[in-house]
């Protein structure tokens, strides 16, 4: 039972990392196209700047929108690993085993 639960727990964790890694890759890659700033910080409105800098300004001045919108991405790997472990427990109760049982004969 333990092998099945561990394998499904790890598989769920790895599957759960996919949306988090996709989000982090898109956050860490820089978009160098120029845009005109139209965010909430008044003195910089109308100034031409890179898209990356504009989005960072939006994040720093609009803290309310940041909180729970990205929190779910960090909880997905934990939730999928728990679901994988629970699936392993249920499958074991139904008679599914990960390893092959060998008879005593050589």
């Amino acid at each position: 039972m333990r092998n099945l639960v561990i394998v499904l727990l790890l598989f769920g964790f790895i599957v759960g990392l996919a949306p988090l890694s996709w989000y982090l890759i898109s956050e860490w890659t820089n978009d160098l196209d120029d845009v005109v700033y139209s965010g909430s910080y008044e003195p910089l409105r109308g100034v031409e700047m890179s898209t990356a800098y504009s989005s960072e300004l939006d994040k720093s001045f609009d803290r309310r929108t940041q909180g729970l919108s990205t929190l779910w991405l960090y909880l997905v790997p934990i939730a999928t690993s728990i679901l994988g472990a629970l699936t392993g427990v249920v499958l074991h109760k139904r008679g599914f085993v990960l390893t092959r049982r060998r008879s005593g004969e050589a």
Side-chain angles (χ1 to χ4, degrees):
M1 174 177 152
R2 189 176 70 198
N3 292 341
L4 179 65
V5 172
I6 290 172
V7 165
L8 289 177
L9 184 136
L10 289 174
F11 181 71
F13 186 73
I14 291 169
V15 167
L17 284 177
L20 177 63
S21 60
W22 185 266
Y23 171 76
L24 290 177
I25 287 171
S26 69
E27 278 293 310
W28 290 343
T29 54
N30 291 332
D31 188 10
L32 299 177
D33 296 336
D34 288 340
V35 295
V36 176
Y37 182 71
S38 61
S40 62
Y41 187 60
E42 284 284 330
L44 286 178
R45 281 196 187 160
V47 175
E48 193 170 311
M49 60 182 65
S50 69
T51 307
Y53 187 60
S54 175
S55 68
E56 287 300 317
L57 283 175
D58 287 339
K59 287 178 193 173
S60 64
F61 290 115
D62 297 332
R63 290 276 180 198
R64 329 168 242 166
T65 60
Q66 253 184 312
L68 295 175
S69 63
T70 58
L71 179 65
W72 70 272
L73 286 168
Y74 296 97
L75 296 177
V76 166
I78 296 168
T80 53
S81 62
I82 290 171
L83 285 174
L86 289 175
T87 303
V89 170
V90 169
L91 286 176
H92 181 71
K93 296 287 182 189
R94 300 269 178 167
F96 186 84
V97 291
L98 187 63
T99 57
R100 179 176 50 171
R101 295 187 185 199
R102 296 182 183 183
S103 63
E105 300 172 10

